[in-house]
Every structure is written in C-alpha cells, then in structure tokens.
C-alpha cells in the first residue's frame, strides 16, 4: 500500500468498524500516529496497516515515536513548546471549532481534537473516558431545564464542572411561506405533514421527543419520523427542497439555507461539561479563561443567533 495514501478519522472509523471517538482515543494514546492538515487529523495508510498488524498479532501497541511537530503541527511560535497531550472536544456547533482555535493558542501543553458527536453520545463518551470536553443541549421536558438533569443522572459519582458556551434559539424549519400554517409544537399533529428528523441522541431529537411527549403526539404516527439527517443544515435543506414539510433545528442554519422559514420556540442553552480529575484541573481553568475572554467573545458576536450573556459562566460545579 502506498505511503502517500492517508485517511481522515471518519474513514479510519469506517475501516476499523469503530466509533470516531475510539479513533481519537487511539490517536490520543499514541497507538495510531496522526498529523494535522488544516482542521483535520489524518493517518497514513502505512501507519494504519502497522497498527492492524500489531493488533492481529496480539502484541502490545506501543506509541510510535514521532516528533511533536509531526504529530501536532504548530505555528512557528509554538514549535518549541512540549506537547503533553490532546484534548478531545465533542459536539457539532461551530462555536466549538472557534473554541478549539483559541485553546490551541492559549491552553499550554495541549492540542484540541474535534469529534462531531451529538449531545447524548457526547455525555456517554465522557462517562466512558473517551473525551475531555463535551457540549450538550438536552431539554428535560418535565422541569424545562437544560442539560443539568441529564448530567446529574449520567455522571453520578463524578466530579465535574458545567460552563455555558452559548445560548441560541431552537424551533421548527418550514417551507417558505409556511404553506401548512405551522405555528408551534401542537401543529405537528396535523394530518398529512412530512418531517425530517435528527439522529438519535442529538439535542434536536431530544427536544422534539420531549415536546411530542408533552403534547401527547405519538411519534411513530409522524410521516418521516424515521428519516434522519446528521446536522441542522441537512434538515433545513430537506425542508427547503420540499422533501419534508418541517424539521427541528437552530436559527443559524435557517439563515444559511434559502427557501426555509424559522419558527423560534425555545431558547436552548449549550453548555460544556468537563470532569474534574486532578490531572485535568490546570487545563480546565485555562479553558474557562478562554471562554470568559474578550477575544473569544468578539469572534462569536458576529455570528447571528448566539446569545453570549452567560458565555463562560460556571453554572454548576460539584464540591
């Protein structure tokens, strides 16, 4: 196999039939050498074959020696810095990509890796120790509270801190002109409507399911409920092309996709969760500093649809 061939983390996950978070974990441990090209991590085919050969032989999988700059390419001013480890950030909002860029410059000794995973799967990955920083926007319909009810239930026995990232409007995408007169959650019970859904475990899917439950609407009776897209843009796009009459998503995607209108229904809170292990405390403080910094806020302000009034605020912290 040619050494010139390389794979993205998504391609590696498909080839090995594992999750992307498992691939990030292998990279983090040094068992699968990787390097950065722009915002992507890539793995050479020769390194993948070497990993598979070691795994098939049942041999230990030691970290391959590689220069720090090759594993984690840095800006010229950073090349003399010792890279201790990587920090995996899970979630799909663009604010996380911006956060990763600021962390790369401000969080000493660490490099961020991005994993595009839904809210529930992100929390489960944190519980399993597969990620370091997770974003979540999960509505608890009974209390009307975001995130904390889920975090408390899942992370029982853990010490952790919850910090606000952004708040944003969520609601329904409908076709231009709203031909079916959809005005709120109760209207989703109208006969003949076709929908496009988000994947299980995503914040948008949880929001929809909670609202359907609260309004007494049977999910399986909704035409298209089983049809899924993996992001807000995909949902908005299906509505815009007429393949669906409505979908759930955030306001920002509606600005980027022509042919749809957005019906705002709830302000959702996107929070970050970090586990307070002794070895994590130093970088957690640095990440909090980034979230509270004017430089980070000023980069988010031009993005339509974000409310930064609580960005960087610690919302909950275990003793």
């Amino acid at each position: 196999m040619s050494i010139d061939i390389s794979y993205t983390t998504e391609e590696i996950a498909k080839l090995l039939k594992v999750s992307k978070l498992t691939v990030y974990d292998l990279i983090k441990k040094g068992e699968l050498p990787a390097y950065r090209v722009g915002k992507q991590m890539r793995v050479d085919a020769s390194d993948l074959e070497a990993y598979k050969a070691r795994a098939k032989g049942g041999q230990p999988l030691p970290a391959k020696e590689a220069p720090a700059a090759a594993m984690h390419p840095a800006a010229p001013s950073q090349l003399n810095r010792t890279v201790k480890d990587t920090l995996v950030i899970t979630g799909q909002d663009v604010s996380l990509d911006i956060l990763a860029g600021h962390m790369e410059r401000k969080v000493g000794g660490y490099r961020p890796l991005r994993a595009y995973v839904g809210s529930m799967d992100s929390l489960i990955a944190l519980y399993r120790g597969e990620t370091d920083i997770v974003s979540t926007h999960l509505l608890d319909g009974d209390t009307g509270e975001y995130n904390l009810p889920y975090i408390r239930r899942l992370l029982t026995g853990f010490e952790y801190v919850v910090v606000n990232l952004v708040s944003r409007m969520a609601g329904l995408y409908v076709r231009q002109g709203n031909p079916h007169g959809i005005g709120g959650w109760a209207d989703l019970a109208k006969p003949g409507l076709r929908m496009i859904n988000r994947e299980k475990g995503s914040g948008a899917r949880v929001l929809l399911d909670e609202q359907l439950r609260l309004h007494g609407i049977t999910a399986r009776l909704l035409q298209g409920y089983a049809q899924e897209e993996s992001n807000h843009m995909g949902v908005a796009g299906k509505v815009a092309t007429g393949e669906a009459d409505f979908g759930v998503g955030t306001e920002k995607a509606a600005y980027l996709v022509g042919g749809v209108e957005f019906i705002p229904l709830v302000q959702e809170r996107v929070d970050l969760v970090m586990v307070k292990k002794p070895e994590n405390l130093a970088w957690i403080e640095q990440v909090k500093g980034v979230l509270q910094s004017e430089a980070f806020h000023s980069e988010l302000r031009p993005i339509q649809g974000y409310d930064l009034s609580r960005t960087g605020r610690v919302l909950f912290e275990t003793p």
Side-chain angles (χ1 to χ4, degrees):
M1 185 173 289
S2 170
I3 195 170
D4 293 329
I5 297 175
S6 66
Y7 301 105
T8 66
T9 51
E10 290 81 2
E11 291 168 336
I12 293 289
K14 290 179 181 178
L15 288 168
L16 296 181
K17 294 181 171 60
V18 298
S19 71
K20 287 188 289 185
L21 286 176
T22 298
V23 176
Y24 280 118
D25 192 47
L26 291 172
I27 293 172
K28 181 177 177 181
K29 293 176 180 176
E31 295 175 6
L32 192 60
Y35 56 93
R36 189 187 301 274
V37 178
K39 292 183 178 180
Q40 282 191 334
M41 297 298 294
R42 300 195 70 89
V43 175
D44 284 335
S46 57
D47 288 324
L48 174 62
E49 292 304 314
Y51 168 80
K52 289 165 63 177
R54 293 195 301 272
K56 287 178 181 177
Q59 301 175 12
L61 301 174
K64 178 180 176 181
E65 293 296 328
M71 288 290 292
H72 308 280
S77 62
Q78 298 173 316
L79 289 178
N80 293 327
R81 185 178 72 179
T82 300
V83 177
K84 298 176 183 177
D85 209 341
T86 55
L87 295 175
V88 179
I89 308 170
T90 61
Q92 298 179 328
D93 195 81
V94 68
S95 59
L96 296 168
D97 298 319
I98 296 171
L99 174 64
H102 283 261
M103 285 174 55
E104 193 155 10
R105 298 187 293 271
K106 298 295 184 180
V107 179
Y110 292 88
R111 287 298 177 86
L113 294 178
R114 287 283 287 112
Y116 296 88
V117 181
S119 291
M120 189 66 75
D121 287 343
S122 291
L123 281 176
I124 292 171
L126 186 65
Y127 175 84
R128 292 174 175 169
E130 297 174 341
T131 186
D132 302 295
I133 303 171
V134 310
S135 73
T136 179
H137 54 103
L138 296 169
L139 173 68
D140 178 62
D142 293 325
T143 63
E145 187 174 11
Y146 263 91
N147 303 324
L148 292 178
Y150 294 89
I151 296 167
R152 291 183 178 119
R153 286 197 293 268
L154 189 57
L155 297 184
T156 301
F158 284 71
E159 293 186 5
Y160 54 87
V161 59
V162 181
V163 186
N164 180 246
L165 177 62
V166 296
S167 296
R168 62 191 186 185
M169 292 304 300
L172 298 171
Y173 304 126
V174 297
R175 294 170 63 187
Q176 198 74 43
N178 195 4
H180 296 282
I182 298 172
W185 303 111
D187 292 331
L188 303 187
K190 289 183 176 181
L193 292 179
R194 299 163 301 148
M195 71 164 297
I196 183 70
N197 214 342
R198 282 292 306 278
E199 77 280 8
K200 296 180 181 68
S202 67
R205 177 67 165 261
V206 171
L207 173 60
L208 172 68
D209 288 344
E210 286 290 85
Q211 294 298 339
L212 294 179
R213 178 177 66 85
L214 293 172
H215 287 81
I217 301 172
T218 304
R220 62 182 174 81
L221 297 181
L222 295 179
Q223 185 179 346
Y225 181 83
Q227 303 300 313
E228 299 177 355
E229 286 288 327
S230 62
N231 55 65
H232 297 304
M233 295 282 286
V235 172
K238 292 290 186 181
V239 174
T241 59
E243 296 175 66
D245 298 313
F246 74 88
V248 175
T250 61
E251 185 178 15
K252 179 158 55 67
Y255 295 132
L256 301 174
V257 177
V260 297
E261 292 182 12
F262 179 71
I263 301 172
L265 296 175
V266 61
Q267 185 180 60
E268 63 177 14
R269 209 179 65 223
V270 184
D271 297 330
L272 298 182
V273 191
M274 298 168 278
V275 172
K276 292 170 51 181
K277 297 177 182 178
E279 63 269 26
N280 294 354
L281 297 180
W283 65 254
I284 286 175
E285 288 303 311
Q286 291 176 310
V287 170
K288 286 162 61 177
V290 170
L291 291 167
Q292 295 164 1
S293 69
E294 174 58 26
F296 180 62
H297 288 215
S298 64
E299 195 164 349
L300 291 181
R301 283 192 194 103
I303 301 177
Q304 197 162 5
Y306 283 159
D307 176 354
L308 307 182
S309 60
R310 289 177 288 191
T311 299
R313 184 185 303 177
V314 175
L315 301 175
F316 182 82
E317 186 169 3
T318 55

